[in-house]
Amino acid sequence: MEMSSVSRQETEAAGGESSSPGDYMQQFKNIIAPGNEASMTREFKPQVAYEFERYSNPQQLKQFVLRSEKLRALLEHYARETKQPLRQLEQQARAIIDEIGLDRNMAIIRWCGIAITAIGKRICDGIYVNSASMANVRKDMGKCPVLYLPSHRSYMDFILMSYICYYYDIEIPGIAAGMDFHSMFGMGTMLRKTGAFFMRRSFSNDELYWDIFREYMYALVANYHIGVEFFIEGTRSRNFKALVPKVGLLSMALLPYFTGEVPDVMIVPVSVAYERVLEEQLFVYELLGVPKPKESTKGFFKALKIIDERFGKMFLDFGAPISAREFFGHDSGDRIQRAGLGGSLQKLNRQEIELVKQLANEIIYQQQRRIVISTFNMLSLCYASKLYGQLSVNLDELARGVLHLKRIFEQLGAHVSTRSSNIKSDIIDAVEIHSNILQFRVGRLQFTPLAADQLATKIDVKRLKAHALTPETMAVAVPMLALQLYVNPCMFWLARPAYLLLAALKEQRRQHIEDVLGSYESTLSALHKHVSSMDALFQHEFIVESNREAVEFETHLQLLLDERALELDRQTGRICVQDNECSRVILAALAPFLCLYYQLAVTVRQLAQNGEFSAKELLVRVQQYVEQLLQQPGGAAAHVHPYCLALDNLNIAIYALVQSGYLHKARDTGLMRVASATSDKCLRQLELQLLEYCQLMPFAQYSTAANEQAQSHIAKL
């Protein structure tokens, strides 16, 4: 089965919009603005996701699964295998389905809606929904099952999707939720009655649970009318950028399509953007190793103190629906033949799983394309680049920088919420919303002081997941990591332009050293090769679709030429990188990731001298080493950034080294060792390559200014 070229072209076309950037943002409607609020007492007659002649309720759905021939055959199989009585297995199955199954109570849904409206008005400047893209989704509903797949940055994502479906009179979907919510007193029941169905985080060793959950998911998609919502990233992204998609739930949800029981499945990518994420500070501390607090009802009510803070605007956009049939390029004959093999008890074959992975990457791509870039995202980028250049910045300079970035992002196809006509007031408002990170002092933008002694009483260093960082290190790292979190959503647009700039710097140096020019075509070929190499290295860090490389290369090259960041002679192939605002801000965005991968490679080499090591040992050693570098006086250490302490990103980088073959991980023990120096995946060569990229940067010591500024704040307190 090959993906059809037609569906690829259609999906590619759906990635961009014909309207101008300003017109596109006009499509967003503030659904909690005075006069726009939803009436929570009105009669709810929703449009169903999948039309049937007769509709079941949640209890009937559970009974349908329990009484199905499929489940009966499954339990008889387990009875023979385990020698357990069939009646006992039937009781276990009933208990498992009761644990999993969703419910529906309109009174609770209405009260939740009233609470969301009230809290939203208190803490938000608006919940903005793209009404045009929502209408585009609605017009295609009813013919087949619908999967809503939102990006996942906050627990608010659970609530917002249901709230918006109620607002637009769409049937509230069944929402996949983890068992940590199920165990919350009162909250688990409330979530279930608003449409949540629960799944255990890990059930790989419980085959009965796995098969029953798969049967319930199959019935929910194929035989129920409300649609299904889940997060393809699997968990909240604590670093505010897309994670590698998890295909387990998506594979289950698509099984009724592969077996021919449904004619198609409509997949709706949903992009959720927050001007300020509710869990922002919690995520920063978790990245540094502070354990995640356990979900509890008490913790939920304690978290309600956020109603005294401002979180700005929230944006939700809906991607063009993706047809599974068109994306996979199936004809009916393929699936009729597949359907005769036993219905939902089947499992996807390798070829089908590979197709699902391609679809998952496409969903992530479409999610990222529509995440709205806020003023604070661009302000963070601008401020970070000034810090690396050891420059301070005032409001006028920020206004020019943000407007410049707005033009760059819109040229790349991003949607930007910043208003050009009110740029200074937008910046002042954004800094006020994020006053816990930045503030204006004496007319210059600076980090908000964070006292080390306050952190010492707030954090128990003995409970940190990796190295016990000192309060002084934490005081430096917390504001820098918080700032970087708001840079990260921009990396979907800037990662490949940054690769291209680095490739150009490398090729420029080669041309200078060798003093030999080739041709325009040979220079382009060399640039392509370097960009592909960085794409491969950072493929788990920045989730961008590889099948668009050629088109994006041309787009990014033209952007850099237009911005005069690059000069490229079409006769001789001579290339020159200009050290201007555009090149600095793009390279500054990539700098923390280069630092992290480089310092990880250095630490792995040092640790590997003693033989095998565990992931925990490696994380501890990296944080120890980075902390020592950050504490060197006068910013003497080069190529280091507080982001190198972020555990989630270190884990992503370790995973990338394992997947690329630079590290070998034993399946039984989990211990790692470095690949042979004679192999084509030599870690020392990678370290030298990363060092070369770091040295090509136009700023020698990335974090010097930031570290010194943070340390001066500490000294003043």
Side-chain angles (χ1 to χ4, degrees), residues 442-492:
V442 199
R444 317 296 289 186
L445 191 64
Q446 295 184 8
F447 281 119
T448 300
L450 183 63
D453 56 354
Q454 292 177 354
L455 287 172
T457 58
K458 186 177 180 180
I459 297 171
D460 182 1
V461 295
K462 295 178 182 178
R463 296 185 63 236
L464 294 181
K465 291 182 180 179
H467 172 56
L469 299 169
T470 67
E472 290 73 22
T473 300
M474 296 281 278
V476 170
V478 166
M480 286 294 289
L481 262 65
L483 187 74
Q484 185 64 35
L485 292 187
Y486 289 97
V487 172
N488 286 350
C490 304
M491 294 309 299
F492 171 74

Side-chain angles (χ1 to χ4, degrees), residues 5 147 182 194 240 302 409 447 487 504 565 628 688 698 716:
S5 59
L147 306 181
H182 179 273
T194 57
F240 295 6
K302 185 178 179 182
F409 280 116
F447 281 119
V487 172
Q628 291 170 6
L688 293 174
K716 292 174 184 176

Side-chain angles (χ1 to χ4, degrees), residues 147-285:
L147 306 181
Y148 303 96
L149 303 184
S151 56
H152 199 17
R153 305 293 177 267
S154 170
Y155 281 146
M156 276 294 291
D157 302 330
F158 283 100
I159 302 166
L160 285 175
M161 191 67 207
S162 298
Y163 184 78
I164 287 161
C165 284
Y166 182 94
Y167 186 93
Y168 286 97
D169 287 310
I170 294 174
E171 189 66 73
I172 297 170
I175 308 168
M179 287 300 293
D180 36 8
F181 291 104
H182 179 273
S183 61
M184 292 171 64
F185 177 75
M187 292 298 295
T189 300
M190 186 195 76
L191 288 171
R192 189 190 299 278
K193 290 185 180 295
T194 57
F197 64 98
F198 295 94
M199 62 178 292
R200 298 173 188 173
R201 291 290 184 186
S202 175
F203 42 84
S204 57
N205 295 326
D206 190 338
E207 293 184 7
L208 178 62
Y209 180 91
W210 169 268
D211 284 327
I212 291 174
F213 184 89
R214 193 152 48 91
E215 284 298 308
Y216 185 83
M217 176 66 106
Y218 191 99
L220 188 59
V221 173
N223 306 106
Y224 209 50
H225 61 283
I226 64 174
V228 180
E229 174 191 349
F230 56 90
F231 301 104
I232 197 167
E233 294 167 283
T235 186
R236 291 173 297 169
S237 173
R238 288 164 177 78
N239 50 40
F240 295 6
K241 60 185 180 62
L243 303 177
V244 175
K246 306 289 192 297
V247 298
L249 277 180
L250 184 60
S251 299
M252 288 186 203
L254 288 171
L255 189 57
Y257 166 74
F258 282 108
T259 61
E261 190 151 341
V262 298
D264 198 357
V265 174
M266 183 172 116
I267 298 108
V268 182
V270 184
S271 306
V272 188
Y274 299 88
E275 197 166 358
R276 179 185 170 195
V277 175
L278 275 67
E279 301 98 323
E280 166 204 289
Q281 286 299 296
L282 187 66
F283 287 167
V284 170
Y285 287 111

Side-chain angles (χ1 to χ4, degrees), residues 315-327:
F315 295 92
L316 285 96
D317 201 355
F318 297 84
I322 300 171
S323 159
R325 184 180 65 244
E326 292 179 9
F327 189 89

Side-chain angles (χ1 to χ4, degrees), residues 566-584:
L566 279 186
E567 292 178 1
L568 181 57
D569 190 302
R570 288 186 171 270
Q571 272 70 48
T572 65
R574 181 179 293 279
I575 195 164
C576 180
V577 179
Q578 298 298 322
D579 185 10
N580 65 12
E581 195 72 23
C582 176
S583 61
R584 277 184 166 269

Side-chain angles (χ1 to χ4, degrees), residues 117-130:
T117 303
I119 294 172
K121 284 175 171 288
R122 180 76 178 265
I123 69 173
C124 298
D125 296 337
I127 299 175
Y128 288 80
V129 179
N130 188 328

Side-chain angles (χ1 to χ4, degrees), residues 239 241 243-244 536-542 592-601 604 615 618-619 622 643-644 646-663 672 683 686 690:
N239 50 40
K241 60 185 180 62
L243 303 177
V244 175
L537 177 62
F538 291 112
Q539 63 178 306
H540 303 289
E541 196 71 54
F542 309 117
F593 299 93
L594 274 177
C595 289
L596 186 146
Y597 276 67
Y598 172 65
Q599 298 301 346
L600 175 64
V604 168
L618 179 54
L619 291 173
V622 174
Y643 201 57
C644 301
L647 294 182
D648 280 29
N649 286 81
L650 285 170
N651 280 319
I652 290 170
I654 292 168
Y655 178 77
L657 294 183
V658 172
Q659 292 298 112
S660 301
Y662 292 103
L663 288 177
M672 290 179 284
L683 186 70
L686 175 63
L690 288 165

